[in-house]
Amino acid sequence: MKDIIFDDFQNCVNEYLIRHKSVLDILTKLQESEARVNRAVAKSVTNCGCIKVNAEKQCMPCDEDSISDLNNCLKNHLNGKLCENCREVIERELGNNIFYLSSLCNLLDLNLYDIFLKEYDRMQTLGKYDLR
């Protein structure tokens, strides 16, 4: 069922993408949409203030600590929670980003769901040792 949703979405993107068919257009629109996601998150901090960034040097576990200790040690530097307005804006920008990612997949004859599954399998296989 989930693959049908991915495929339907990817087919819909293929049908509705009219103006930006060139690989150069798609790549630049994808990059622009990524910048808009970044900007929306930054505006949540600077304009709204619903979230705050409190960044500092990440602590690194000792050599004798296990890799699973990294989860307890490394922080995301975010405080607070997105307000409803910021959440809507970021979701819209992420949706736009997924649209252009799907467009690139279509152009290169790649299936987004297959990519998703391969990445999921890689994560399941490597687990925490993938170290991303």
Side-chain angles (χ1 to χ4, degrees), residues 61-117:
C62 302
D63 290 336
E64 60 269 357
D65 292 335
S66 70
I67 198 162
S68 61
D69 291 332
L70 283 174
N71 267 345
N72 298 329
C73 187
L74 299 176
K75 307 294 181 218
N76 67 20
H77 298 135
L78 281 178
N79 295 328
K81 190 171 181 173
L82 289 174
C83 70
E84 192 58 37
N85 182 57
C86 291
R87 177 178 298 283
E88 287 177 24
V89 170
I90 293 170
E91 284 177 350
R92 184 176 59 244
E93 297 299 350
L94 285 169
N96 194 35
N97 187 260
I98 293 169
F99 179 92
Y100 286 109
L101 178 62
S102 296
S103 298
L104 184 60
C105 288
N106 286 338
L107 188 68
L108 298 173
D109 197 27
L110 299 170
N111 184 283
L112 188 58
Y113 185 71
D114 291 343
I115 295 168
F116 176 82
L117 285 179

Side-chain angles (χ1 to χ4, degrees), residues 10-29:
Q10 198 165 345
N11 290 334
C12 191
V13 166
N14 194 44
E15 182 180 333
Y16 294 140
L17 184 68
I18 297 171
R19 295 183 318 155
H20 305 290
K21 293 282 189 182
S22 164
V23 66
L24 297 176
D25 286 338
I26 291 171
L27 286 172
T28 57
K29 291 301 260 180

Side-chain angles (χ1 to χ4, degrees), residues 47-59:
N47 274 8
C48 179
C50 59
I51 58 175
K52 294 180 182 359
V53 177
N54 183 15
E56 58 190 17
K57 181 180 176 184
Q58 295 279 21
C59 88

